Amino acid sequence: MATLGQDPKRLGIFFFFDAQGIVDSYVETLLTDMVKNLSELVIVVNGELTAKSYAKLTAFTDNIILRENKGLDAWAYKTAMESYGWDRLVEFDEVVLFNATIMGPVYPFEEMFTEMAGRDIDFWGITWFHEVPFDPFGYALEGYLPRHLQSHFHAYRRSLVTSKAFQDYWDETPEINGYEQSVGLHEVPFTQRFERLGFTSDVYVNTEDKEGFTFSPVLFSPVELIRDKRCPIFKRRSFFRPYDDVVRQSVGESSAELYAYLRDHTDYDTNLIWDNALRTMNMADLVKNLQLTYVLPTQTVVREPRKQRVALIAHLYYMELVEPTLKYIRNMPEGIDVFLSTSSPEKVEQVKAACEGLPYNIEVRLVDNRGRDVGPFLVGWKDVIHDYDVVCYTHDKKVTQLYPYSVGDGFAYKCFENLLPTRDFVKNVIATFDAEPRLGFLAPTPPNHADYFPVYTFGWGPNFDRTKELLHELGLNVPLDSKKEPVAPLGSMFWFRPKALKPLFDHDWQWEEFPPEPCPIDGTVMHAIERAHGYVAQGAGYFCGWLFSDSFARIELTNLSFYVRDLTSAISEHWDMGLETQVVEKIRDTRTTRQRIKGRLGQWVPPALKGPMRTVYHKARGIGK
């Protein structure tokens, strides 16, 4: 073991991988501070690297190794060490291995290196992963995961690097194939292996108090580590974790609290997070992990929004719904611009008459009866849209294909009550856009009542491929996954920042691109555009979220709580009756399943199922045909 003297000689080995070969701004920030503490830096890149990104890395070192994307981080480090050779590596007081799965620093790395230099140890890390009494990866020789230094940052002193055991370990490291092997064969056993050989390890951020509370404090207690223990880093993974893992180990608060703390209480620029997250992460994962569901008050103003250019755009087709729609429009701030479109000269006059005396600058336009409400939005108002900072788009909504009509009316009620319920609420929405400059889009969640119940889960319907094609046509490349819910306004009503939807309007839509009436009820270009809105915003560098009024949130929580209990009860009651066997057998019988699907509402369903459970079974099979 050894402490380090003044000005220790350190070699840094930085591992980088990005599926698109792009170095984002957070990497530059990380390296800018890290190199202040290193004598030399070598960067190992797995896979491709764009010319622009290569140039970014050369600002930190001329020693850049480009290699095939094999072996993950372990073999990248191995490659770098082999490029030096043991005779050169032992000349360094410390060899530091770190990678792009961490973001920071929140505090200068110099604090950490100075503190650790005075400790009499052989190797160290920033954070512990605490003992897990089982083996989720299937590689642990003793059937459990011992406490270990997390491999996003390892520092090896000369006392360890000169040992035959350490050199043999890296010389004989087998090729790693996949994330599970990287964790199970390298990260997890490394610490215990060398501790058992008599070497001493330590961490900069002591989380012994978290033993038994969480396996991974850096993921599940990040604010406490940063605020109370001056942890200089946080995990990029915090923002895209599989949410089933999040709710298995917590109530889901940690990532949202991390982002808020970084934004409000540190000097770390949260734009660095968004620059990477919006390019590489699925918006559904971001919305869940960061709890991007905004529940805003209806009867009080949290803070007065600063003066912004605000407008409302609405398409009015059903004249009997003009007054109910204007009831909500009246909750917009006085003096703003309101743009209304309709589909005949007679309707134009009716709308103008209904708007007489309203305290707004109102323009009513005649538009083609094409593209439902989407065409008028993209074609009818494309000449004015970019004059504003924040815009609300809405339209009258009448659903006649569902019976009783109260079902469709409930969808309209949900949209309006979460967009324009009161003047105070509207002010709070505008202030939210002001407070979050990277917020591009807010909309109510999809409906989940009555026949809409399956839509909440199967929101893509038959529109995934067409939406993906549309985004490609717009020149946007954002992560899409048909198995993850679309973050989209399925009622085509939303608040947005025009800069966020600029790529959509830059297409310069024409009326002829929309199908004439009568239109199919699904699968059209309008339905693709509807689902593309959030991803257009993402591609333009803005994040999206769900929007609720506090009054409607009571309804939503009640409904979702009911569905959870009802589904759990249905599953519990019928599992012992052989439901699992029935479902598996029927799904395996492809021919029978296809025949039943053709009938949709007449298809086979486990006979005991009823209520939402029966509905979701029917709809899921129909949508999946």
Side-chain angles (χ1 to χ4, degrees), residues 325-605:
T325 304
L326 288 177
K327 182 191 78 169
Y328 286 102
I329 292 176
R330 289 188 186 100
N331 289 325
M332 290 293 288
E334 293 186 7
I336 69 159
D337 296 337
V338 172
F339 301 101
L340 306 175
S341 60
T342 191
S343 57
S344 74
E346 295 77 18
K347 291 180 180 180
V348 167
E349 296 307 314
Q350 288 179 266
V351 170
K352 287 181 178 179
C355 294
E356 194 71 35
L358 291 181
Y360 306 112
N361 305 311
I362 297 175
E363 179 179 348
V364 183
R365 284 186 182 179
L366 172 65
V367 297
D368 288 5
N369 183 26
R370 196 158 178 152
R372 298 290 172 90
D373 55 274
V374 178
F377 175 55
L378 293 178
V379 182
W381 301 108
K382 60 186 175 183
D383 60 318
V384 303
I385 199 73
H386 295 300
D387 294 336
Y388 301 92
D389 299 311
V390 182
V391 175
C392 179
Y393 177 68
T394 188
H395 59 92
D396 53 15
K397 192 166 186 64
K398 184 176 183 179
V399 179
T400 58
Q401 66 265 34
L402 297 179
Y403 190 82
Y405 297 150
S406 57
V407 173
D409 185 69
F411 188 5
Y413 182 83
K414 180 174 186 177
C415 291
F416 282 114
E417 284 294 313
N418 291 307
L419 289 179
L420 298 161
T422 67
R423 288 200 170 189
D424 284 350
F425 178 86
V426 168
K427 287 184 178 181
N428 289 325
V429 172
I430 297 169
T432 300
F433 276 91
D434 182 31
E436 285 283 8
R438 298 297 289 268
L439 173 61
F441 189 92
L442 287 174
T445 59
N448 51 54
H449 65 284
D451 284 2
Y452 290 114
F453 178 73
V455 175
Y456 198 76
T457 298
F458 304 105
W460 286 110
N463 301 292
F464 179 79
D465 290 339
R466 183 68 187 90
T467 304
K468 190 173 182 179
E469 291 171 7
L470 172 62
L471 292 170
H472 179 72
E473 292 167 9
L474 298 177
L476 300 174
N477 180 24
V478 296
L480 288 184
D481 188 337
S482 61
K483 296 179 181 178
K484 295 181 179 180
E485 68 277 12
V487 180
L490 297 193
S492 285
M493 301 190 200
F494 46 90
W495 282 88
F496 69 101
R497 194 185 302 275
K499 289 181 180 178
L501 293 191
K502 186 176 184 300
L504 187 61
F505 283 93
D506 283 350
H507 177 76
D508 192 23
W509 293 89
Q510 304 298 318
W511 293 111
E512 294 74 19
E513 296 181 74
F514 299 97
E517 295 292 345
C519 291
I521 63 172
D522 207 348
T524 70
V525 66
M526 289 92 74
H527 296 92
I529 292 170
E530 186 178 53
R531 285 154 180 80
H533 284 114
Y535 302 100
V536 171
Q538 182 179 359
Y542 295 88
F543 70 89
C544 309
W546 299 123
L547 181 62
F548 283 98
S549 65
D550 55 7
S551 54
F552 192 90
R554 297 188 308 167
I555 298 173
E556 187 79 356
L557 289 171
T558 301
N559 291 352
L560 294 181
S561 296
F562 168 76
Y563 291 144
V564 169
R565 292 189 179 95
D566 199 44
L567 288 170
T568 303
S569 176
I571 293 170
S572 175
E573 288 177 12
H574 301 296
W575 206 252
D576 291 338
M577 297 171 59
L579 172 59
E580 179 182 20
T581 302
Q582 294 179 59
V583 172
V584 170
E585 287 179 353
K586 286 295 179 182
I587 291 177
R588 282 177 177 172
D589 186 349
T590 306
R591 180 177 301 174
T592 300
T593 301
R594 286 176 178 168
Q595 291 173 347
R596 301 299 186 189
I597 285 174
K598 287 180 180 178
R600 291 196 60 142
L601 297 182
Q603 63 191 316
W604 176 89
V605 65

Side-chain angles (χ1 to χ4, degrees), residues 29-70:
T29 298
L30 182 77
L31 291 176
T32 296
D33 195 79
M34 184 64 76
V35 294
K36 297 175 184 178
N37 305 279
L38 304 175
S39 305
E40 293 184 30
L41 173 67
V42 55
I43 298 176
V44 189
V45 178
N46 278 11
E48 300 296 323
L49 194 65
T50 66
K52 183 178 180 180
S53 292
Y54 186 88
K56 288 182 179 181
L57 295 182
T58 59
F60 303 101
T61 181
D62 292 329
N63 192 354
I64 300 174
I65 301 173
L66 303 177
R67 63 185 299 273
E68 187 178 358
N69 184 24
K70 294 177 64 176

Side-chain angles (χ1 to χ4, degrees), residues 92 160 244 375 378 404 421 495 528:
F92 294 94
L160 180 64
D244 59 343
L378 293 178
W495 282 88

